[in-house]
Amino acid sequence: MKNEASDDPSGQPWPSPFAAWYVVGVLIVAYLVALVDRQILTLLVQPIRRDLGLTDTQLSLLIGLAFAVLYTVAGIPIAKLADRKPRRTIIAIGVFFWSVMTFLCGLAQNYWQLFLARVGVGVGEAALQPSAYSMLSDYFPPHRLGRAIGTYSIGLFLGGGLALIVGGAVIGALSGADSTTLPILGEVRNWQLAFLVVGAPGILLTLVIMLTVKEPARRGVARTASGGAGSAELTRFFRSNFATVSRIIAAFSFGGIAVVGYLAWIPESLRRSFGWEMSDIGYAFGLVMAVFGTAGTLFGGWFVDRLARQGHRDAPMRASIIAFAFLVPAAVAAPLMPTAEASLVVLAVLLFFIGMQQGYSPVALQLITPNQLRAQVIAVYFLIAQVVALGIGPTLIALVTDFVFRDDAALAWSLASVGGVAGGLGLLCLMVARKPYLSSVARAADWSDAATETVVKID
């Protein structure tokens, strides 16, 4: 396969396909570990609620706000480092930190200890996404970036599915007792043991990243008066592209409310509506998430690249609109099915289209942003979209259950209501974002033509 050097203004060859796809594989594993550490809590709602005496709303804060509060805020300064320093090292440090904090979740003795440990998990995971998206844009030429980011995004569903499967297996294996005695640590509750088990693999992954992943050369660094990537330059970019960026952020923020809310509460909804055991739910829903979410993500990467090759300059936006058009009705229908089996079938459809659109917002933003701003732009995007999705999604569903329906058994109706409204608003925002996005693409072509003819190497 050719090295595609002609695709880069500097004339320098792109990394070999093997090296590039190896990095995608390592980043998928990192994303998978992150999602396992993040998502495991959703399967442990009942025992944590019982042992710590919590309401749905308090649990939702552990699932969403505790994780999101510093996950998003810390993303900005970490992204500034990622635009200047080796992104490989930043990712490795983040993996190590969030793994340690997940382990500490398993040692928590009360609500606030668990809350603070979840905050720490968020701080560590803040290092991954901006650095990973920035690295991939320097490993792959633009017409292959969609497939690369789409493939990387399967970590969301493999990780989320694996969290449910592993959590269900742990719960099933320990179903005969409420606690387990471990060397040194002594007696721990079974939900604590689940955190201890999933927190450990990240330590090994840190070593793999540092020893086998190479920091790529930076490409497409636009010429600026100062030569840097400071706050003034970032502000100018957002001012020039405000209509585009604001509507993309709004669309995926609303969509995120529906998506994160589903991933947080569907396991508990299946238990309350159909009386399934959590060990069975973990296996069934985890398998559906891993298979159909991953299939949708891989299809989505191929689909957006195909649209781009056909000459559609707004390919990420077109693909997003199509995905949302199928996603919204499935979000309404899935929790209201008459049987658990029927619900899982519709959830498979929903997860396919959630997966399909997963990488589109980063692709859209990367393609209109100069290299030296890409990590920071992605971090700002995540700051807003993830605060809304993680901070509001799970809690909004819990608030509707606790204060509108006032019935724990009405959780399915809360999911359908919030998912339909939030997803519909996301679709509307995408439809009005297409025109300004085309203007942003044109501006990006102008600065790309004027970019420095150098490749920036960071050791």
Side-chain angles (χ1 to χ4, degrees):
M1 181 177 178
K2 65 180 182 177
N3 61 21
E4 302 185 87
S6 60
D7 293 330
D8 184 53
S10 69
Q12 297 293 323
W14 291 88
S16 70
F18 176 82
W21 284 106
Y22 173 77
V23 170
V24 172
V26 173
L27 291 176
I28 287 173
V29 175
Y31 200 7
L32 186 152
V33 171
L35 266 295
V36 170
D37 291 358
R38 183 191 312 182
Q39 193 73 14
I40 189 68
L41 180 59
T42 65
L43 201 60
L44 304 173
V45 166
Q46 183 186 17
I48 294 175
R49 185 182 184 192
R50 178 198 64 211
D51 290 348
L52 301 183
L54 307 179
T55 65
D56 276 358
T57 300
Q58 288 175 305
L59 255 300
S60 73
L61 296 176
L62 288 175
I63 295 170
L65 186 62
F67 176 86
V69 61
L70 285 183
Y71 172 73
T72 50
V73 173
I76 300 296
I78 292 174
K80 288 184 177 181
L81 287 175
D83 280 329
R84 295 174 173 85
K85 303 297 182 182
R87 293 155 286 187
R88 172 201 62 180
T89 304
I90 292 170
I91 291 173
I93 293 172
V95 172
F96 180 82
F97 188 80
W98 87 57
S99 299
V100 170
M101 297 308 295
T102 300
F103 194 87
L104 291 179
C105 287
L107 302 180
Q109 300 296 316
N110 57 54
Y111 178 76
W112 288 110
Q113 289 178 3
L114 186 54
F115 188 96
L116 292 175
R118 287 284 292 176
V119 170
V121 174
V123 172
E125 292 194 20
L128 178 58
Q129 299 289 45
S131 302
Y133 288 127
S134 178
M135 279 184 68
L136 291 177
S137 70
D138 288 326
Y139 266 106
F140 291 88
H143 68 279
R144 297 190 184 278
L145 184 60
R147 189 172 302 181
I149 289 181
T151 303
Y152 163 67
S153 298
I154 68 174
L156 171 64
F157 302 99
L158 287 178
L162 185 60
L164 295 170
I165 293 170
V166 170
V170 171
I171 291 172
L174 303 173
S175 59
D178 291 330
S179 62
T180 301
T181 301
L182 298 177
I184 302 176
L185 298 179
E187 186 177 11
V188 297
R189 309 294 290 184
N190 287 344
W191 61 265
Q192 294 175 305
L193 181 58
F195 283 114
L196 299 177
V197 169
V198 301
I203 309 302
L204 178 60
L205 179 59
T206 302
L207 296 176
V208 172
I209 293 171
M210 290 302 297
L211 295 175
T212 68
V213 172
K214 182 179 179 181
E215 177 71 15
R218 293 183 185 269
R219 303 165 189 271
V221 180
R223 187 187 305 276
T224 65
S226 63
S231 299
E233 187 181 357
L234 186 65
T235 300
R236 284 194 295 272
F237 170 82
F238 281 123
R239 185 180 295 120
S240 299
N241 297 278
F242 178 78
T244 299
V245 175
S246 63
R247 294 174 193 184
I248 289 176
I249 290 176
F252 287 94
S253 295
F254 284 124
I257 289 175
V259 170
V260 175
Y262 262 82
L263 296 181
W265 286 110
I266 273 291
E268 182 65 10
S269 177
L270 292 172
R271 187 190 69 82
R272 294 183 190 181
S273 296
F274 306 111
W276 276 26
E277 295 293 332
M278 270 299 179
S279 56
D280 297 328
I281 293 171
Y283 179 78
F285 183 54
L287 189 61
V288 167
M289 180 186 296
V291 172
F292 289 93
T294 298
T297 303
L298 294 174
F299 173 80
W302 170 85
F303 184 65
V304 73
D305 282 348
R306 179 177 176 84
L307 290 178
R309 287 195 299 271
Q310 290 174 345
H312 297 292
R313 291 159 61 88
D314 61 346
M317 306 307 297
R318 285 176 178 259
S320 297
I321 291 170
I322 292 170
F324 269 65
F326 286 94
L327 185 157
V328 174
V332 175
L336 303 180
M337 291 292 102
T339 67
E341 292 78 9
S343 183
L344 286 170
V345 170
V346 182
L347 282 170
V349 176
L350 173 64
L351 286 163
F352 180 89
F353 287 105
I354 289 175
M356 178 180 170
Q357 58 80 46
Q358 185 61 32
Y360 290 161
S361 52
V363 170
L365 293 172
Q366 296 284 286
L367 293 178
I368 65 172
T369 307
N371 186 296
Q372 72 272 21
L373 298 176
R374 285 174 182 166
Q376 293 177 71
V377 169
I378 288 293
V380 171
Y381 162 73
F382 277 117
L383 172 64
I384 301 172
Q386 295 281 36
V387 162
V388 174
L390 292 169
I392 296 177
T395 300
L396 182 59
I397 290 170
L399 288 172
V400 171
T401 302
D402 285 345
F403 298 103
V404 176
F405 293 111
R406 298 179 182 275
D407 182 2
D408 287 351
L411 178 57
W413 287 98
S414 300
L415 282 166
S417 302
V418 173
V421 173
L425 290 173
L427 176 59
L428 178 62
C429 291
L430 286 170
M431 294 174 68
V432 300
R434 282 183 62 192
K435 185 175 179 179
Y437 182 76
L438 285 170
S439 298
S440 293
V441 169
R443 280 190 293 273
D446 291 339
W447 62 248
S448 180
D449 291 339
T452 56
E453 301 297 315
T454 61
V455 176
V456 179
K457 176 66 176 175
I458 296 181
D459 296 325

